[in-house]
Amino acid sequence: MEKTLGELAKIVEGRLAGDPTIVINGVNSIDTAVDGDITFAVDGHISEAEKCKASAIILPSTVNEFPLPAVFVDNPREVFIKLIKLFTPPLQIKRGISDKASIGANVTIGKNVAIMPFAVIDDNAVIGDDVILYPHVYIGQHVKIGSGTLLYSSVTVREFCEVGKNVIVHSSAVIGSDGFGFVTKNGKHIKVPQIGNVVIEDNVEIGAHTGIDRAAMGSTYIRRGTKIDNLVHIGHSCDIGENVLVVAQTGISGSTKVGNNVTFGGQTGVVGHINIGAGSVFAARSGVINNTPEGVFYAGFPARPHQEWLRIIAASVHLPQILKKIRKRQRLENTEK
Amino acid sequence: MEKTLGELAKIVEGRLAGDPTIVINGVNSIDTAVDGDITFAVDGHISEAEKCKASAIILPSTVNEFPLPAVFVDNPREVFIKLIKLFTPPLQIKRGISDKASIGANVTIGKNVAIMPFAVIDDNAVIGDDVILYPHVYIGQHVKIGSGTLLYSSVTVREFCEVGKNVIVHSSAVIGSDGFGFVTKNGKHIKVPQIGNVVIEDNVEIGAHTGIDRAAMGSTYIRRGTKIDNLVHIGHSCDIGENVLVVAQTGISGSTKVGNNVTFGGQTGVVGHINIGAGSVFAARSGVINNTPEGVFYAGFPARPHQEWLRIIAASVHLPQILKKIRKRQRLENTEK
Amino acid sequence: MEKTLGELAKIVEGRLAGDPTIVINGVNSIDTAVDGDITFAVDGHISEAEKCKASAIILPSTVNEFPLPAVFVDNPREVFIKLIKLFTPPLQIKRGISDKASIGANVTIGKNVAIMPFAVIDDNAVIGDDVILYPHVYIGQHVKIGSGTLLYSSVTVREFCEVGKNVIVHSSAVIGSDGFGFVTKNGKHIKVPQIGNVVIEDNVEIGAHTGIDRAAMGSTYIRRGTKIDNLVHIGHSCDIGENVLVVAQTGISGSTKVGNNVTFGGQTGVVGHINIGAGSVFAARSGVINNTPEGVFYAGFPARPHQEWLRIIAASVHLPQILKKIRKRQRLENTEK
């Protein structure tokens, strides 16, 4: 794959500064780019970009002068994603149903699918067009998978769950495992049947080793556009709103409702049965134990406004000395008495 | 499935208040119930239940008056579990050994099992009656699986491990992976062979993506009736007592011994080589770094009595202001001098 | 397997004290050893060892007198690992390629491999000599697996990733899942293609359910000799140095660079884009949010020198009382005014 810088500037509809005949044959990050690569920089990294070894750079149109060949655009990140796709043709996936896959009774399968060896589709499942199932995927009874959805190796989707269109689920994720529900009687734990399901809406992405438990009754929801990282736990009957970001190793306990466009930093914990207002951000390792309003930036455990938490953390460094002073004063006062 | 309210009252041995001919055809939670459903409520939710749309409600016998058709029982939760099972016949599981499964040499398999496609049972394993192995389960050499046990898709049970009767293991759980044991010499880590196994006793439930490491020597034990949630780590040579509850993303380090009927809230961490007394409760995110007595309620990191931790957390909010005052006083005193 | 104590003393090149004709037929830990076993003890456990039931004990050569039959050596732990291997012949693994495995086009496979049922090797992959692939392993397109490497059941290695020699990867680990990279525009998250790979160098061990994300561009590196425990998250484009220890449930965010011989205790969190100096130790649950120098011992969140953190934690216990005193003083002063 080769393009001239002039061709690329046209493709991304940017303003070219430099020789249009320069040949570009790869995309790379600022620090690893070599001759022949194109890279990008955003505000705060412009001076760093001046020293890079790429043959050309995508820059924000707010930049006026630059010593290297450049293409100026409104959104360098977005443009760069286009270029990555241009220079990296997608992996070759053979279409068709492998004769080593296992297809149950009364299964409906759409057009142009790729069902790889040892994938299992159980009875009464419905698989949309263009779906890709990697090896060792298990699709349970009565499951529905929307068109264009991609399930990597060893993904499980348990019975009656529904996965929307253009969803990506990474390897070994589990959708629809039983919620953790027990009634304790005389010290023994009796299982509460978990007869609900999980509904994953369109354009969701779910990370490796993430588990989303089925509802006891009704559904656990992951709403459209939400992206969940690796090793995340979503408890039964949660309702995770649209365009939410959940970073790795976060856990959200059962029946909690999360508004749209919330971001949870990594290793956050959220208790069950609460409401998280839309548009909020929780810093990594937040521990959320109460309802929270819309549009807040919280941190710490228990989670509180980020600035407040920063002040507590900053003050706590002085705690040993505060204690020392107070004790000294105490001794003085005791002596004076 | 349809029952009259009168029939249901008899089945659950409750006191009926309302029309016995009302037809019930579903179970549901208070907030999602519709006409035709039966639901339940316990103390603290009774007034909420008055507004629900169910056709009838299971209530504690301590409630005297209620505006909707109701059945009064001693334990509404427990009765409701019975009704869920009544209205939700279990998933149809075909019995037999799939011709797409792989069965090793010298394997013993009981009656009435369901071994699904691409399950692997390795040499010398013993599988009890009524066992269900979902697709992509791997049963290692010399493993024993007790009767009535259910292993969901992609579960691994490594060589020599033993799983009891009526155990449920959720998808992608791993039983018997090597413990994390190394001896460091000149900065290099030499693996300590992990030649023990894992013993899971009867009636245990293990969540998706939970890993239970095999002992270096001897056994890691999960005792009868214990329920473990998703993404939990149990280190090598742990001994987890009976009827313990371990909520999601908790980690228990190697060689720790946990008494019966302990509860660990989510994201708790426990160091290795300690003893946790029976009947204790650890709030979510506890960090347990020492032996703990029986019957305590602990929280925080390092874990301490819950009330004590709450007082520290409450006081810490005032820390920035304490610091300010102390500094002000200091300046005053310095000025006075 | 049986050896006399005299034979064992010769094998481990130790000094024998006791009857050389004693017959040893097993290895065990101090507290579970029985007659016929050999065990070991190191400083701090010598008096404990005096009461054990083993027939003989491996002891440090610094110990002079001991009441039971003993073999004195320089490094008892290391010697004991040798004895464990001697008394526990490795599991019998049948060599060859199972006719139930699926081998893609243009795959290269070395000598003496064991490819078990339902393992999948996708097109253009290269598998070295003596490699063992358990059932349900998925090897993606163009992947390279070095000689002597062992992948347990349900491990995924995604396309273009490289795994070195003598690597052990435990069940359900995922190597090469997409990094969590999105650009947000008008509240919607657009996926940044993750076109890099993962490079695992020689002698690495990776735990069950650990996920190592592929780089957006370039490679995520796990350097030689590093040992990673269960349920660990390594973000995209990280570079984890040599001989690093990462204990269970730790998460390291994208693009962070970790020096050689660092140890992360369990449930540690590390933010992205920072540098962790070589030879440092982070106590369990550390939260590392800044670059850290070489050779430090840190703890807490935000991580700081361990001693400092201990002092803060110790002082915080007195915080409620400090607050009480300050408030009392305040009231007194207010009254005096």
Side-chain angles (χ1 to χ4, degrees):
Chain A
M1 178 68 176
E2 272 190 6
K3 293 271 175 199
T4 65
L5 191 54
E7 288 171 326
L8 290 180
K10 266 188 199 156
I11 288 169
V12 305
E13 299 174 15
R15 177 171 60 85
L16 174 63
D19 178 358
T21 68
I22 291 171
V23 174
I24 302 295
N25 49 39
V27 286
N28 219 327
S29 56
I30 289 185
D31 49 339
T32 56
V34 292
D35 196 51
D37 284 342
I38 190 163
T39 187
F40 82 104
V42 292
D43 288 339
H45 297 270
I46 307 296
S47 59
E48 192 184 333
E50 290 184 13
K51 289 166 242 152
C52 89
K53 288 169 181 151
S55 293
I57 299 178
I58 306 289
L59 289 173
S61 38
T62 49
V63 174
N64 287 316
E65 300 232 347
F66 198 76
L68 304 176
V71 179
F72 300 95
V73 299
D74 285 348
N75 192 331
R77 272 188 213 279
E78 211 182 317
V79 160
F80 195 64
I81 290 173
K82 270 187 203 160
L83 293 183
I84 291 174
K85 286 178 177 165
L86 186 69
F87 281 90
T88 319
L91 203 65
Q92 211 66 16
I93 303 283
K94 278 175 239 155
R95 299 290 155 161
I97 302 175
S98 166
D99 56 6
K100 288 176 178 152
S102 171
I103 313 295
N106 195 29
V107 166
T108 306
I109 300 183
K111 296 173 203 159
N112 195 39
V113 299
I115 314 284
M116 301 194 195
F118 313 134
V120 173
I121 305 178
D122 215 332
D123 301 349
N124 302 302
V126 178
I127 309 293
D129 296 342
D130 304 305
V131 164
I132 299 173
L133 304 185
Y134 268 73
H136 315 123
V137 163
Y138 173 65
I139 303 293
Q141 293 183 35
H142 298 275
V143 164
K144 286 177 192 158
I145 306 287
S147 62
T149 283
L150 164 56
L151 308 190
Y152 281 105
S153 51
S154 294
V155 164
T156 289
V157 185
R158 283 259 310 269
E159 66 273 12
F160 297 107
C161 291
E162 298 174 20
V163 178
K165 295 174 187 170
N166 301 313
V167 169
I168 300 173
V169 184
H170 289 284
S171 295
S172 289
V174 175
I175 294 167
S177 39
D178 286 0
F180 196 64
F182 301 91
V183 170
T184 303
K185 194 180 172 184
N186 304 327
K188 292 191 178 171
H189 310 299
I190 304 158
K191 184 175 178 68
V192 178
Q194 305 287 309
I195 61 165
N197 73 347
V198 175
V199 175
I200 313 266
E201 296 187 351
D202 300 345
N203 300 314
V204 164
E205 184 161 341
I206 292 174
H209 304 116
T210 282
I212 300 172
D213 280 355
R214 66 198 307 111
M217 286 172 286
S219 299
T220 303
Y221 290 96
I222 311 293
R223 305 286 181 183
R224 69 180 56 235
T226 282
K227 313 294 183 185
I228 301 179
D229 200 354
N230 297 347
L231 289 162
V232 168
H233 168 70
I234 307 286
H236 51 174
S237 304
C238 279
D239 186 336
I240 310 297
E242 298 178 6
N243 302 315
V244 169
L245 292 176
V246 186
V247 180
Q249 296 181 320
T250 287
I252 302 179
S253 301
S255 300
T256 280
K257 201 171 153 50
V258 176
N260 297 341
N261 291 90
V262 168
T263 297
F264 295 104
Q267 297 186 335
T268 287
V270 184
V271 299
H273 297 273
I274 64 172
N275 286 290
I276 305 293
S280 291
V281 174
F282 295 85
R285 292 206 153 189
S286 299
V288 190
I289 62 171
N290 284 306
N291 293 333
T292 60
E294 294 196 357
V296 296
F297 179 17
Y298 270 33
F301 175 46
R304 64 186 77 241
H306 186 248
Q307 281 305 321
E308 213 177 282
W309 181 71
L310 285 184
R311 278 193 295 265
I312 293 172
I313 288 297
S316 73
V317 177
H318 303 281
L319 194 49
Q321 215 169 348
I322 292 174
L323 189 64
K324 222 171 168 180
K325 274 185 194 154
I326 286 177
R327 283 180 171 165
K328 197 179 162 191
R329 186 185 303 270
Q330 191 90 36
R331 276 197 301 277
L332 279 175
E333 290 175 358
N334 289 346
T335 318
E336 284 167 9
K337 276 172 199 169
Chain B
M1 178 67 175
E2 273 190 4
K3 293 271 175 199
T4 66
L5 191 54
E7 288 171 326
L8 290 180
K10 266 187 199 157
I11 288 168
V12 305
E13 298 175 16
R15 177 171 59 85
L16 173 64
D19 179 359
T21 68
I22 291 171
V23 174
I24 301 294
N25 48 39
V27 287
N28 219 326
S29 56
I30 289 185
D31 49 339
T32 55
V34 292
D35 196 51
D37 284 344
I38 190 164
T39 187
F40 82 104
V42 292
D43 288 339
H45 296 271
I46 308 296
S47 60
E48 192 184 333
E50 290 184 14
K51 289 166 242 152
C52 88
K53 288 170 180 150
S55 293
I57 300 179
I58 306 290
L59 290 173
S61 38
T62 49
V63 174
N64 285 316
E65 300 232 348
F66 198 75
L68 304 176
V71 179
F72 299 96
V73 300
D74 284 349
N75 192 332
R77 272 187 212 279
E78 210 181 316
V79 160
F80 195 64
I81 291 173
K82 270 187 202 161
L83 293 183
I84 292 173
K85 285 179 177 164
L86 186 69
F87 281 90
T88 320
L91 203 64
Q92 211 66 16
I93 303 282
K94 277 175 239 156
R95 299 290 154 162
I97 303 176
S98 165
D99 57 5
K100 289 176 178 154
S102 170
I103 313 296
N106 195 29
V107 165
T108 307
I109 299 183
K111 296 172 203 160
N112 195 38
V113 299
I115 315 286
M116 300 194 195
F118 313 133
V120 173
I121 305 178
D122 215 332
D123 302 348
N124 303 301
V126 178
I127 308 293
D129 296 342
D130 304 305
V131 164
I132 299 172
L133 304 184
Y134 268 72
H136 315 122
V137 163
Y138 172 64
I139 302 293
Q141 292 183 35
H142 298 276
V143 163
K144 287 176 191 158
I145 305 286
S147 61
T149 283
L150 164 57
L151 307 190
Y152 281 104
S153 51
S154 294
V155 163
T156 288
V157 184
R158 284 259 310 269
E159 65 273 12
F160 297 108
C161 291
E162 299 173 21
V163 178
K165 296 174 187 171
N166 301 313
V167 170
I168 299 172
V169 184
H170 289 283
S171 294
S172 288
V174 175
I175 294 168
S177 39
D178 287 0
F180 196 65
F182 301 90
V183 170
T184 302
K185 194 180 173 183
N186 304 327
K188 292 191 179 172
H189 310 299
I190 304 157
K191 183 174 178 69
V192 178
Q194 305 287 309
I195 61 164
N197 73 346
V198 175
V199 175
I200 311 265
E201 295 187 351
D202 300 345
N203 300 314
V204 165
E205 185 162 341
I206 292 174
H209 305 115
T210 281
I212 300 172
D213 279 356
R214 65 196 310 114
M217 286 172 286
S219 299
T220 303
Y221 291 97
I222 311 292
R223 304 288 181 182
R224 69 178 58 233
T226 282
K227 313 295 183 184
I228 301 179
D229 200 353
N230 297 347
L231 289 161
V232 168
H233 168 69
I234 306 286
H236 51 173
S237 305
C238 279
D239 186 336
I240 310 296
E242 299 178 5
N243 302 316
V244 170
L245 291 176
V246 186
V247 180
Q249 296 182 319
T250 287
I252 301 180
S253 301
S255 300
T256 279
K257 201 171 153 51
V258 176
N260 297 341
N261 291 90
V262 169
T263 297
F264 295 104
Q267 298 187 335
T268 286
V270 184
V271 300
H273 298 273
I274 64 172
N275 285 289
I276 304 293
S280 291
V281 174
F282 295 85
R285 293 206 153 189
S286 298
V288 190
I289 63 171
N290 285 305
N291 293 334
T292 59
E294 295 195 356
V296 296
F297 179 17
Y298 270 34
F301 176 45
R304 64 187 76 241
H306 185 248
Q307 282 304 320
E308 212 176 283
W309 181 72
L310 284 184
R311 277 193 296 266
I312 293 171
I313 289 296
S316 73
V317 176
H318 303 281
L319 194 50
Q321 214 170 349
I322 292 174
L323 189 65
K324 221 171 168 181
K325 274 186 194 155
I326 286 176
R327 283 179 171 165
K328 197 179 162 191
R329 186 186 302 271
Q330 191 91 38
R331 276 196 302 276
L332 277 175
E333 290 175 358
N334 289 348
T335 319
E336 284 167 11
K337 275 172 200 167
Chain C
M1 176 69 175
E2 272 191 5
K3 293 271 175 198
T4 66
L5 191 55
E7 289 171 325
L8 290 180
K10 266 189 197 154
I11 288 169
V12 305
E13 299 175 15
R15 176 171 59 85
L16 174 64
D19 179 359
T21 68
I22 290 170
V23 173
I24 301 294
N25 49 38
V27 287
N28 219 327
S29 56
I30 289 186
D31 50 340
T32 56
V34 293
D35 196 52
D37 284 343
I38 191 163
T39 187
F40 83 104
V42 292
D43 289 338
H45 297 270
I46 308 297
S47 60
E48 192 184 334
E50 291 185 13
K51 289 166 244 152
C52 88
K53 288 169 181 152
S55 293
I57 300 180
I58 306 289
L59 290 172
S61 38
T62 49
V63 174
N64 286 317
E65 301 232 347
F66 197 77
L68 304 176
V71 179
F72 299 96
V73 299
D74 284 348
N75 192 332
R77 271 187 214 279
E78 210 181 319
V79 160
F80 195 65
I81 290 174
K82 270 187 202 160
L83 293 183
I84 291 173
K85 285 178 178 164
L86 186 68
F87 281 91
T88 318
L91 203 63
Q92 211 67 16
I93 303 283
K94 277 176 240 157
R95 298 289 154 164
I97 302 176
S98 165
D99 56 6
K100 289 176 177 151
S102 171
I103 314 295
N106 195 28
V107 165
T108 306
I109 299 183
K111 295 173 204 159
N112 195 38
V113 299
I115 315 285
M116 300 194 196
F118 312 133
V120 173
I121 306 177
D122 215 332
D123 301 349
N124 303 301
V126 178
I127 309 292
D129 296 342
D130 304 306
V131 164
I132 299 173
L133 304 185
Y134 268 72
H136 315 123
V137 163
Y138 172 66
I139 303 294
Q141 292 182 36
H142 298 275
V143 163
K144 288 177 189 157
I145 306 286
S147 61
T149 283
L150 164 57
L151 308 190
Y152 282 104
S153 51
S154 295
V155 163
T156 289
V157 185
R158 284 260 311 268
E159 67 273 12
F160 297 107
C161 290
E162 299 174 20
V163 178
K165 296 174 188 170
N166 302 313
V167 170
I168 300 172
V169 184
H170 289 283
S171 294
S172 289
V174 175
I175 295 168
S177 39
D178 286 0
F180 197 65
F182 300 91
V183 170
T184 302
K185 195 180 172 185
N186 303 328
K188 292 190 180 172
H189 310 299
I190 304 157
K191 185 174 176 70
V192 179
Q194 304 288 309
I195 61 166
N197 73 347
V198 176
V199 176
I200 312 264
E201 294 186 353
D202 300 345
N203 301 314
V204 165
E205 185 162 340
I206 292 174
H209 304 116
T210 282
I212 300 172
D213 280 355
R214 67 197 308 113
M217 285 171 287
S219 299
T220 303
Y221 291 97
I222 311 291
R223 304 287 182 184
R224 70 180 56 235
T226 282
K227 314 294 182 184
I228 301 179
D229 200 354
N230 298 347
L231 289 162
V232 168
H233 168 70
I234 307 287
H236 50 174
S237 304
C238 278
D239 185 337
I240 310 296
E242 299 178 6
N243 302 316
V244 170
L245 291 176
V246 186
V247 180
Q249 296 181 319
T250 287
I252 302 180
S253 300
S255 300
T256 279
K257 201 171 153 49
V258 176
N260 298 341
N261 292 90
V262 169
T263 296
F264 295 104
Q267 297 187 335
T268 287
V270 183
V271 299
H273 298 273
I274 65 172
N275 285 289
I276 305 292
S280 291
V281 174
F282 296 85
R285 292 208 154 188
S286 298
V288 190
I289 62 171
N290 285 305
N291 293 334
T292 60
E294 294 196 357
V296 296
F297 179 17
Y298 270 33
F301 175 46
R304 63 187 77 241
H306 186 247
Q307 281 305 320
E308 211 177 285
W309 182 72
L310 284 184
R311 277 194 296 266
I312 294 171
I313 288 295
S316 73
V317 176
H318 303 281
L319 193 50
Q321 215 170 348
I322 292 174
L323 188 64
K324 223 170 166 182
K325 274 186 192 153
I326 287 175
R327 282 179 171 168
K328 197 178 161 190
R329 186 185 302 272
Q330 191 91 35
R331 276 196 302 275
L332 277 175
E333 290 176 358
N334 289 346
T335 317
E336 284 167 8
K337 275 172 198 166

